[in-house]
Amino acid sequence: QVRKIEIKMKIKHEGEVNRARCMPQNHFIVASRGPNPEVYIWDRTKHTSFPEKESVFCPQAVCVGHSKEGYGMVWSTFDEGHLATASEDSTVRLWDVSTMSKENGQQIKPLATLAHHTDTVEDVDWHYKDPNLLV
């Protein structure tokens, strides 16, 4: 038997959503990727359940550093606020979104850029026991 999905919230996003992931330590914080290089950070408590048609795209923070779009994205289960992203620009970048201010649209720069790949990095994940190892 297939369960029906109930939509409880919508948030305006630029373009399609390639991937969205909730922070494991705080399910109200969501990271999303779209058709551009940026990674958007959303605090669901700052948005109404269903936006007005005139409402604008307004993430709480924008992770800026990739030069192409991507799909790979994972929150650390060890360090709250730490996010790893992979991209078609052949890099993996590490972010700390716990530095987010209360101002919407704050730009966050990467903590580190791993540029050892020679082609698109499709996905990324943290090792399940080692907080310092990405796979």
Side-chain angles (χ1 to χ4, degrees), residues 65-81:
H66 283 296
S67 61
K68 294 183 180 177
E69 73 176 301
Y71 295 89
M73 182 168 62
V74 62
W75 289 102
S76 171
T77 57
F78 301 100
D79 297 310
E80 183 172 349

Side-chain angles (χ1 to χ4, degrees), residues 4-21:
K4 183 179 178 187
I5 295 174
E6 180 183 351
I7 298 172
K8 295 191 174 197
M9 183 174 215
K10 291 183 177 184
I11 297 176
K12 290 231 179 197
H13 197 280
E14 285 188 349
E16 74 273 5
V17 177
N18 290 344
R19 183 151 298 169
R21 296 287 182 261

Side-chain angles (χ1 to χ4, degrees), residues 19 71-74 86-87 92 120-125 135:
R19 183 151 298 169
Y71 295 89
M73 182 168 62
V74 62
S87 172
V92 171
T120 297
V121 183
E122 295 287 344
D123 210 354
V124 63
D125 201 357
V135 293

Side-chain angles (χ1 to χ4, degrees), residues 53-131:
K53 286 188 178 188
E54 312 80 43
S55 66
V56 296
F57 171 77
C58 189
Q60 277 52 67
V62 181
C63 297
V64 178
H66 283 296
S67 61
K68 294 183 180 177
E69 73 176 301
Y71 295 89
M73 182 168 62
V74 62
W75 289 102
S76 171
T77 57
F78 301 100
D79 297 310
E80 183 172 349
H82 284 212
L83 179 71
T85 58
S87 172
E88 291 179 6
D89 65 8
S90 305
T91 67
V92 171
R93 295 183 193 250
L94 305 177
W95 315 88
D96 181 4
V97 304
S98 64
T99 62
M100 230 176 13
S101 70
K102 298 198 186 291
E103 298 293 320
N104 287 344
Q106 174 195 357
Q107 288 194 355
I108 297 175
K109 301 288 184 194
L111 288 175
T113 299
L114 309 174
H116 306 288
H117 293 274
T118 58
D119 206 349
T120 297
V121 183
E122 295 287 344
D123 210 354
V124 63
D125 201 357
W126 255 283
H127 189 273
Y128 71 104
K129 286 187 177 179
D130 187 344

